[in-house]
Amino acid sequence: MKKMLLFALFCIAITPKLVAQTNEEDAIKQTINNLFTGMKQGDSTIARLAFADNCIMQTISTKTGTATIKTASIKEFINFIGTADKEKFDERIVFTKILIDGPLAVVWTDYKFYVDNKFSHCGVNSFQLVKGDAGWKIVYLIDTRRKEGCG
């Protein structure tokens, strides 16, 4: 009986923390999904809402056999989304890992990228988000890109 009472007290104590964690994860996922919804719909307004003002956006290229990092302008990226009306960009992601410590979150997503429903490439996104007055915003995004090993 004592063990059951201790177990019940443990469950009561931990449940609010688990619910809060789940709510934060849902809010983080929504921020990231807004980015990809905006890309798919060609809606730069939706996509822009996912980013903090001074977000850093980078990609790792291995075309030469050596990893190089390229930095992209968020402003140019958002403008591209809004003017890319001829092609449909569809980045299909899988949330692999979400880590949260207060106002900081790290998110790892595998993805496959399609242009006009034709496979283009795959890779991994690594997001850093910060929670402020306007909710969760992406402050850093880096990705890998490849055409092989996309399973």
Side-chain angles (χ1 to χ4, degrees), residues 57 71-78:
M57 187 174 190
T71 302
S73 159
I74 290 296
K75 183 178 179 180
E76 289 174 6
F77 176 71
I78 295 299

Side-chain angles (χ1 to χ4, degrees), residues 94-98 107-110:
V94 176
F95 288 95
T96 308
K97 187 78 170 174
I98 299 175
V107 180
W108 186 271
T109 66
D110 295 303

Side-chain angles (χ1 to χ4, degrees), residues 1 20 26 42 46 51 54 59 73 76 80 101 124 137 146 151:
M1 185 69 166
D26 289 344
I46 292 173
F51 292 104
N54 296 315
T59 190
S73 159
E76 289 174 6
F80 175 75
D101 185 25
V124 170
K137 299 291 181 182
R146 63 182 182 280

Side-chain angles (χ1 to χ4, degrees), residues 37-48:
T37 297
M39 286 174 56
K40 189 173 184 177
Q41 295 177 357
D43 188 330
S44 58
T45 303
I46 292 173
R48 179 67 184 102

Side-chain angles (χ1 to χ4, degrees), residues 3 7 23 29 31 36 41 53 62 64 76 80 88 101 103 105 109 115-116 118 124 128 131 135 147 150-151:
K3 287 182 183 179
F7 179 73
N23 290 342
K29 287 179 180 180
T31 297
F36 296 117
Q41 295 177 357
D53 289 336
T62 55
T64 62
E76 289 174 6
F80 175 75
K88 290 263 189 192
D101 185 25
T109 66
V115 178
D116 292 331
K118 182 180 176 191
V124 170
Q128 301 263 328
K131 185 178 184 182
K147 293 190 181 278
C150 297

